[in-house]
Amino acid sequence: MRVGVLASGAGTNLQALLDTVHGREVEIVAVASDQPGARALERARAAGVATRVFEPGPYPSRRARDVAIADWLAGSGVELVVLAGYMAILDDAFLERFAGRIVNVHPSLLPAFPGLHAIEQALAYGVKVFGVTVHHVEPGAVDSGPIILQGAVELPDATEPAEVLAALRPLEHDLLPRAVALVASGAVRRDSAHGRRVVVAEPAAAGRPRGP
């Protein structure tokens, strides 16, 4: 399966994908960013993956920019879009273009704490268990798409966002490649009897992507 990745920052989740499933379960063929200085672009170039920057300035609207991104990804033959730390909200025109073929990783146990600053939201609420969710992206409220995989870690005494983020990174780097590999293998499907439920047929011995 040909994968396109959107990222806005350091690209550690992109790197996890490159190190585990790229060239194996999937082929990452395109990486786009809304930030020209995003380290994710450097990671992609180092792996020989095509990159492109879509800054807001040259486009008359968010919709126009997102159509341009969708056109570029489609022209690269992308079958699955992965949002790996992409901090811009995608227009419905983009979501409809890749309907059912977009996944995102979010640093909370959705539906709790959607949107920006999820870790800060969780700390302010006083939670004792933090987590990561990989979910489908669909039109509607932000981070409201059906859930594919989740993982959690207990941090009863956490007070600083950096501390929580450090604990969640390994979960992100495990769950996102695993979800992408499962989608690529056809192991992820929607439950026809329950519109929001995602059924994951994860093999007991082969559910996790192999290391390099």
Side-chain angles (χ1 to χ4, degrees):
M1 178 173 282
R2 293 170 69 84
V3 170
V5 178
L6 304 186
S8 297
T12 63
N13 281 305
L14 168 62
Q15 191 65 56
L17 292 167
L18 291 169
D19 290 343
T20 56
V21 295
H22 176 55
R24 298 178 177 92
E25 289 87 347
V26 304
E27 192 73 22
I28 298 175
V29 297
V31 173
S33 181
D34 57 335
Q35 302 294 326
R39 175 123 189 269
L41 297 169
E42 299 175 21
R43 295 179 188 272
R45 292 173 191 135
V49 177
T51 65
R52 187 160 170 183
V53 177
F54 293 86
E55 293 184 85
Y59 301 96
S61 65
R62 187 184 74 190
R63 183 183 183 88
R65 180 182 64 168
D66 287 357
V67 166
I69 298 173
D71 286 345
W72 184 68
L73 293 174
S76 300
V78 166
E79 301 166 275
L80 177 70
V81 178
V82 178
L83 308 184
Y86 189 63
M87 303 309 292
I89 295 175
L90 291 165
D91 187 88
D92 283 357
F94 185 102
L95 302 182
E96 290 161 5
R97 182 86 167 267
F98 290 96
R101 298 182 291 142
I102 309 173
V103 298
N104 180 49
V105 60
H106 183 75
S108 81
L109 291 172
L110 293 172
F113 314 119
L116 296 174
H117 310 300
I119 293 173
E120 288 83 353
Q121 291 182 57
L123 284 169
Y125 200 85
V127 304
K128 306 300 184 185
V129 177
F130 299 79
V132 171
T133 302
V134 180
H135 64 96
H136 289 293
V137 180
E138 298 179 343
V142 65
D143 297 323
S144 63
I147 292 166
I148 302 171
L149 294 176
Q150 289 184 303
V153 59
E154 292 189 25
L155 298 170
D157 301 317
T159 58
E160 296 297 328
E163 174 189 3
V164 177
L165 180 60
L168 293 184
R169 280 297 191 209
L171 278 178
E172 292 181 347
H173 298 166
D174 170 56
L175 289 177
L176 182 60
R178 204 163 104 213
V180 168
L182 289 165
V183 170
S185 71
V188 176
R189 65 176 178 83
R190 301 286 283 271
D191 185 348
S192 59
H194 188 308
R196 287 201 55 84
R197 184 170 182 265
V198 173
V199 178
V200 179
E202 186 169 11
R208 294 173 184 255
R210 299 181 302 276

